[in-house]
Amino acid sequence: MNPREVTALLAYVVRLDPRMNVEDQAAADDRLTQWCDLLSDVPAQAHGWDAAQTARDYIARNPYRIQPSDISRPWHSHKAAALARHTDPTPAADPDDPAAWRAELSDTRQAVAAGAALPSTHRELTTGGPAPEVEQRLAAIGRRIPPEAAAALAQYRPRRAEREQLAAQGRPDPYAVPCGYCRARVDKPCRNHRGVPRTAPHPSRLDDATARHYARQEQSA
């Protein structure tokens, strides 16, 4: 988090727990410096992570005043769990270009570690058969070739492979909704400010897909 985000988080914490309020400006500045230092590598929000929600949960469950470590420790545990679930997908880079290949793997791992991308857990696809709702989602994506051929072609069609993987795991599909940030249509990749397709969807698009995914689950429950 940057200083502005930490300041906003501290203001939220003080609203929830007035004991955190300090009258002395020097003490407030010292506290902000401490929190900025300890939370500099903690995002305000990421996939499955919200620093404000973590602070709220702590205050609701503990009688002690919250410390920045009560937010940083859960984040690092969350990050370690995400990396433990992650399995490196086959890079889209040319395998004859080792530098590009390694760079893409590294970027993917860093994105997962930072919460900017969901962990890839394609090993889970080998356990059991898909549920009926999974079959419906796969049909919506459109699979016109046998599963064996799809697996062989996965490295050449990374976005389709990713969508099939998300469907099989029952997880939100960001390409099933349009992107409100870059205006990408359904089924189309997000684009950067130069109009070049991105390898990952914008976080806001994933948020929209997640909200839609769980809303549909609640409706069907």
Side-chain angles (χ1 to χ4, degrees):
M1 282 182 274
N2 58 41
R4 180 179 57 82
E5 292 170 326
V6 175
T7 300
L9 178 62
L10 271 172
Y12 177 67
V13 165
V14 170
R15 287 201 302 272
L16 296 181
D17 185 358
R19 297 176 304 168
M20 292 292 293
N21 191 27
V22 291
E23 300 295 338
D24 182 74
Q25 185 60 44
D29 291 342
D30 288 342
R31 183 177 64 181
L32 178 60
T33 299
Q34 178 198 36
W35 280 59
C36 286
D37 187 24
L38 290 175
L39 299 180
S40 60
D41 59 345
V42 178
Q45 289 184 319
H47 292 299
W49 166 262
D50 189 313
Q53 183 64 43
T54 301
R56 180 192 177 282
D57 291 346
Y58 178 90
I59 293 171
R61 299 174 185 176
N62 293 276
Y64 310 107
R65 295 184 185 183
I66 190 171
Q67 300 296 322
S69 57
D70 295 318
I71 298 174
S72 63
R73 279 197 298 264
W75 160 249
H76 289 296
S77 296
H78 174 85
K79 180 174 70 172
L83 287 173
R85 296 195 308 271
H86 179 66
T87 303
D88 289 325
T90 302
D94 185 349
D96 292 329
D97 186 347
W101 184 276
R102 288 193 297 269
E104 185 172 339
L105 285 177
S106 177
D107 289 346
T108 301
R109 292 170 188 166
Q110 290 178 9
V112 171
L118 289 169
S120 174
T121 54
H122 59 260
R123 284 180 300 210
E124 296 177 6
L125 290 173
T126 62
T127 59
E133 61 269 19
V134 172
E135 292 286 9
Q136 293 174 5
R137 287 184 61 185
L138 291 175
I141 295 172
R143 175 182 287 175
R144 299 181 176 83
I145 59 177
E148 296 81 4
L153 292 173
Q155 61 178 314
Y156 305 107
R157 306 186 307 166
R159 191 169 75 252
R160 178 181 290 272
E162 177 188 6
R163 296 189 68 191
E164 292 177 352
Q165 176 182 325
L166 292 172
Q169 295 171 359
R171 291 159 55 193
D173 177 6
Y175 298 106
V177 299
C179 180
Y181 184 83
C182 69
R183 307 300 181 187
R185 292 177 295 175
V186 172
D187 297 333
K188 300 298 182 182
C190 289
R191 296 179 177 272
N192 62 22
H193 64 283
R194 296 188 180 90
V196 178
R198 288 165 48 97
T199 57
H202 285 105
S204 59
R205 187 179 193 178
L206 181 58
D207 290 341
D208 292 342
T210 300
R212 175 183 174 183
H213 176 74
Y214 288 112
R216 287 186 170 182
Q217 284 189 336
E218 292 178 358
Q219 292 174 358
S220 61

